[in-house]
Structure formats: structure tokens, C-alpha cells
Amino acid sequence: MKDRPTPNQLRTVESASPESESVMASLLMASSLFLGVGAAVTSDNALAGERAAETRDNAAEEEQLSDPLAGATIDAALVYYQEQDRVTAAEGIINYRQALDDTNIIRGKIALDALTGASANGAVIQARPQSFTRPSGTGVYQARAGELPLDDTFKDTRLQLSANWQHLFSAKWQASLGGYLSREYDYTSLGVNAGLEHSFNQSNTQVFAGAAYYFDIVNPVGGRPVGLSEMVFRKDFASEAEFRQAFDATRFYDSALKRTLDLNVGVTQTLNRRWQAQLSYGLSAVDGYLNDAYKVVSRVDSRGQALGYHYEQRPDERLKHNLYLMTKGALESGTLTFSYRYSDDDWSLQAHTFDARYRYNLSGAAYWQWQFRAYLQDAAEFYHLYLTEGEPLPELASADHRLGKMQTYTIGVKYGQRLEHGMLASVRLAYYQQRPQNPGVELPGELASFDQFPRIDAIVLQLGMRF
């Protein structure tokens, strides 16, 4: 039906390292991590989760403006994300929150997003045009000389549903249970989550713990490529039947499974009447099909010329850790927030996230908020920009730039305005820049003539309304 390079690219990440996702998220601040809607979904996209964490934090700012027991509220948002000459994403979200009584709160969320555009397939830039067999095995797509190979059939639509029940046992204890469903053309995710929070020390200290389990079913277009098998081309075979036989030899046609267990513990401490701090630790264990079925690695000779393309192969297990530290202060003019997140995993992919934001209150009904975020990531141990002709194939290899060394920066501004009847409107504009970097790879021959790590620039526009 379609060719699409990134399964479940925009999914929300909470307890895992800042990777995959939705471009939008709507949760309470991290001390209520598993008490929100659709918590803790993991993904293999480092940048998607980075954007998800960013938009989650912005949503958390809005959440703090209202009493969670003050009846029903509806939050609606439209978000538009545009990369220069690449991916475009649009998403609509509706969050519903209802206080049933003084001890029970229910929440629900529905989100629909659509992605289209062109996505890098992992191949290196060459001085001559390149052709690639489509994931379905039907037809080819091409990259012009001197340009990064992009698959221009990138498109998908995702529907996400989630629900959550929060119960306050007392002023000191509260718990939650939730469920999650996300459906795309080639990816289905089902999940459950639970959390517990305890307040003490005259409610100046809160400790929390949560867990989530996700079960994903993956059905890539054209089947799952056999790891490190070589791409075949119709032009190299005398008949369609011979080509299909060779193509089928590079494919598994059954569904693949992916399982994720997320755990999170932490503490929030009121330091004085103006400042609050939070520390949390997250552990995520993932196993199953972790490849991106639509990514390849070029095989090049000593002149840097590509002789073939191999489908990537990643490990089938991953253990991730992250440590999060945040401090928030109330100033005379508004609010100042600083946060730092460190993440690490057994793929040797380490990341640091720094975030600073300042909210300036114009009056009791309006505010401006400025934000700066920096994300620094090292390359995974099996990241290969290319494979070398004549050398044995490695056991694992991926040229996916999301697993490479990179830096990303976000600068954003947001304006919020209270309207009549308690409504709140907001608009946010942000500039996002991704800077892939060479992790120390030698560039032989013509590879050195081109920027093999091109920058990505994007604009994010978000409109929100609370009723």
C-alpha cells in the first residue's frame, strides 16, 4: 500500500532515555510521571523522544495552572512540524480530565497525526546518481548526484488512544492505572501502566514509583529484511520471477514482536517557599525486533564508491538507564526552570539533555515563556557510516543518523492568554536544529568530497486551547 521508512517514529517517551516521538505529549510534571495519560511508551527514535520530552514539559507547565480536582477540563492542541526539505508532521490532540469526586480522577486522550515527506535511508552521498529498491520490492527510488539519499515515500497516519484512572487514598497516598493503544499501518502498540505516590514531611516531600509494560507488533511494508542481507535490483535479473525469488530470500514475512518494560522512581522536594527540586531514575528493558526495516548501510571500496547496500542489523535487546534532575523557582516576575537528563544504554549510546526556560507573567491573565534546550548524543557502538568492500561483514551495523553522534538545539517562545469563562489559549513557535557529527569515521575517496553529516533545520508551531 505504501513505503514508509520509520516504524512508529513519533511515539512518546517518559521513563526511557529521551528518544521517540510523538511530536506532542500531554502529561503532568515528572513527579506524576505515571499518573498521567499514555505514560512511558518507548521507541527506537532518539530524536522523536527528545521532541516528545520537550513538548511534554511544555504541557506540564499548563497542567500546573489548574486544580486537578476542579471538575472537568478539555485540552485541545494542533501541532505542525516541518523539516527543511524533509519530513512534515501534523497532529491533533484532545485530552479530557474529569474529577469524579474528591478521590477519583479519570483522564482520556485521543491523538491523530500524519507524517509525510522524505527521510534519509542511511546510504552515503555519492558523486553519481543512486537507485534503491523500494521496501515493497516494487519499483525504485533515486538519489541525485551529490545529494543525501532520501526515500520520498515517507508517510503514515497514527491513531493513539489512552485512558487513566487516578485514586487519592488520602492526602498522603495516591495511585493510578492506565492503558494505551497506538495503531499505524505497519505498527501496533498495546500498553498498561501503574504508579504510586506518597507525600510526607508536611507534604514537602513526594516519592513516586511507576511501571509500564508495552507489547508491540511490527509488520513492515514488504516484510522484514534479513539483517545485513544485500539489496537486490530488478535490472540484474532476466525475469520478474527470478527477481522475486531473490527478493524473497532477503525477507521474513511473519510479524515481529517487541516488548518493553519501563520502571521509574524518584523524589520531589520543596526546598523553601519559592524553590522545588526533583530527582528521578528510570530503567527500560526492551527486547524483540529493534531494527528499522527501512534503513540500509552502503558498502564502499577504497575510492569511496558504493558497490552495494545492506539492510541494517541491530541487537535484539537493549537496557537503558536515565537520571533526571530538575529545579524550579518562583520569582517575582514569573518562573525559572532548569533540568538535566543523563541517559545511557548497553548500545553505548550516551546522551545529555540540558533545558532552561523562563516564564514571564505579563499580568494575572497572560505570560511569555522562553526556552533553550540542548541535546548531546554519542554514537552507538555498532554505528557504521559505511561497510568496507573486501572486509567481513560485522555482526551488527546501522548507518541510521539517529544512532550516530549528534547535537540538537531548540529555541522556543510561547505566549499564553486567559480568556473568558476560564479558557486558556496558547501559541508556541520553536526552531529546532539537528547537527549530526562524524564520530571519527575515515572518509575514503569521494566520500570526503561531500558533507556526509548534513544539518537538519525544523520549525514547530503549536496552538493550544483549554476549556
Side-chain angles (χ1 to χ4, degrees), residues 183-456:
R183 175 61 179 155
E184 302 174 38
Y185 176 71
D186 60 358
Y187 205 109
T188 301
S189 179
L190 301 169
V192 293
N193 60 76
L196 183 66
E197 184 173 308
H198 176 55
S199 299
F200 60 96
N201 186 25
Q202 297 180 331
S203 296
N204 289 318
T205 306
Q206 294 85 38
V207 293
F208 57 92
Y213 179 78
Y214 290 88
F215 182 82
D216 300 347
I217 304 171
V218 188
N219 290 289
V221 172
R224 293 178 291 121
V226 176
L228 294 177
S229 61
E230 186 171 358
M231 179 180 290
V232 296
F233 297 90
R234 173 65 182 86
K235 64 180 179 61
D236 297 329
F237 297 87
S239 68
E240 180 67 20
E242 292 179 0
F243 166 71
R244 292 307 309 188
Q245 182 178 9
F247 182 83
D248 290 344
T250 69
R251 289 295 191 271
F252 298 113
Y253 286 105
D254 57 330
S255 298
L257 303 179
K258 174 183 172 183
R259 295 161 292 268
T260 304
L261 175 63
D262 290 335
L263 303 174
N264 186 269
V265 295
V267 58
T268 302
Q269 177 65 49
T270 300
L271 304 177
N272 54 47
R273 69 185 186 91
R274 289 184 176 271
W275 286 91
Q276 183 183 66
Q278 178 186 104
L279 178 66
S280 68
Y281 167 75
L283 175 69
S284 182
V286 189
D287 71 89
Y289 186 71
L290 305 185
N291 290 351
D292 188 323
Y294 309 101
K295 299 298 184 184
V296 300
V297 188
S298 301
R299 188 181 76 253
V300 306
D301 59 19
S302 59
R303 297 171 298 174
Q305 296 182 354
L307 304 180
Y309 311 96
H310 295 260
Y311 298 103
E312 72 164 34
Q313 176 63 52
R314 306 182 189 186
D316 58 7
E317 293 183 345
R318 190 176 189 181
L319 186 64
K320 299 179 281 189
H321 310 265
N322 79 85
L323 188 66
Y324 177 78
L325 177 63
M326 182 271 292
T327 182
K328 180 187 295 286
L331 309 178
E332 295 294 337
S333 57
T335 305
L336 190 61
T337 305
F338 297 101
S339 68
Y340 166 73
R341 183 188 299 270
Y342 171 76
S343 61
D344 192 10
D345 62 24
D346 55 3
W347 291 5
S348 298
L349 199 158
Q350 297 181 344
H352 305 266
T353 307
F354 305 88
D355 187 279
R357 63 189 67 201
Y358 172 60
R359 175 188 292 248
Y360 178 75
N361 296 322
L362 298 172
S363 64
Y367 69 87
W368 284 98
Q369 179 172 282
W370 293 270
Q371 179 202 16
F372 174 76
R373 175 183 288 258
Y375 175 76
L376 313 177
Q377 174 183 292
D378 290 332
E381 61 185 2
F382 54 88
Y383 173 80
H384 292 267
L385 177 64
Y386 60 86
L387 304 175
T388 302
E389 174 71 9
E391 294 185 359
L393 292 177
E395 181 180 355
L396 304 169
S398 174
D400 191 338
H401 70 278
R402 297 167 300 177
L403 297 177
K405 184 177 182 180
M406 72 172 68
Q407 300 175 359
T408 76
Y409 300 94
T410 304
I411 299 176
V413 61
K414 181 178 181 179
Y415 176 77
Q417 175 70 57
R418 287 197 177 276
L419 307 176
E420 296 180 352
H421 310 296
M423 293 190 298
L424 175 66
S426 63
V427 58
R428 176 174 178 261
L429 182 64
Y431 169 68
Y432 171 84
Q433 184 181 98
Q434 178 191 135
R435 298 179 182 176
Q437 297 180 315
N438 190 337
V441 176
E442 181 182 356
L443 301 177
E446 68 180 59
L447 294 188
S449 301
F450 304 99
D451 181 7
Q452 302 291 342
F453 305 92
R455 192 180 75 185
I456 297 177

Side-chain angles (χ1 to χ4, degrees), residues 28 62-73 97-99 102 105 107 168 418 466:
L28 291 169
E62 301 295 347
E63 188 76 25
Q64 297 174 63
L65 296 177
S66 62
D67 182 354
L69 296 178
T73 59
R97 184 178 67 250
Q98 172 71 60
D102 290 342
I105 301 172
R107 305 171 191 268
L168 284 70
R418 287 197 177 276
R466 168 168 293 179

Side-chain angles (χ1 to χ4, degrees), residues 35 103 166-176 195-200 207-208:
L35 304 181
T103 61
Q166 181 178 343
H167 179 69
L168 284 70
F169 294 99
S170 66
K172 295 184 177 180
W173 289 94
Q174 55 181 302
S176 76
L196 183 66
E197 184 173 308
H198 176 55
S199 299
F200 60 96
V207 293
F208 57 92

Side-chain angles (χ1 to χ4, degrees), residues 51 107 241 457:
R51 293 192 293 268
R107 305 171 191 268
D457 298 282

Side-chain angles (χ1 to χ4, degrees), residues 62-197:
E62 301 295 347
E63 188 76 25
Q64 297 174 63
L65 296 177
S66 62
D67 182 354
L69 296 178
T73 59
I74 297 176
D75 290 281
L78 293 173
V79 181
Y80 179 78
Y81 172 85
Q82 173 67 67
E83 295 178 355
Q84 185 177 7
D85 301 324
R86 295 203 193 180
V87 176
T88 298
E91 183 168 11
I93 304 172
I94 297 178
N95 280 295
Y96 177 78
R97 184 178 67 250
Q98 172 71 60
L100 302 178
D101 50 41
D102 290 342
T103 61
N104 293 283
I105 301 172
I106 59 172
R107 305 171 191 268
K109 174 183 176 180
I110 180 171
L112 179 66
D113 57 55
L115 295 88
T116 186
S119 176
N121 68 1
V124 294
I125 301 174
Q126 293 281 274
R128 55 187 171 85
Q130 300 180 79
S131 297
F132 304 90
T133 300
R134 295 194 182 280
S136 63
T138 303
V140 299
Y141 64 96
Q142 295 183 328
R144 292 185 295 184
E147 291 189 355
L148 183 72
L150 301 174
D151 183 353
D152 59 3
T153 61
F154 178 84
K155 54 186 175 181
D156 206 352
T157 300
R158 180 192 67 141
L159 176 65
Q160 176 190 324
L161 303 172
S162 55
N164 179 271
W165 169 63
Q166 181 178 343
H167 179 69
L168 284 70
F169 294 99
S170 66
K172 295 184 177 180
W173 289 94
Q174 55 181 302
S176 76
L177 292 172
Y180 172 91
L181 168 65
S182 178
R183 175 61 179 155
E184 302 174 38
Y185 176 71
D186 60 358
Y187 205 109
T188 301
S189 179
L190 301 169
V192 293
N193 60 76
L196 183 66
E197 184 173 308

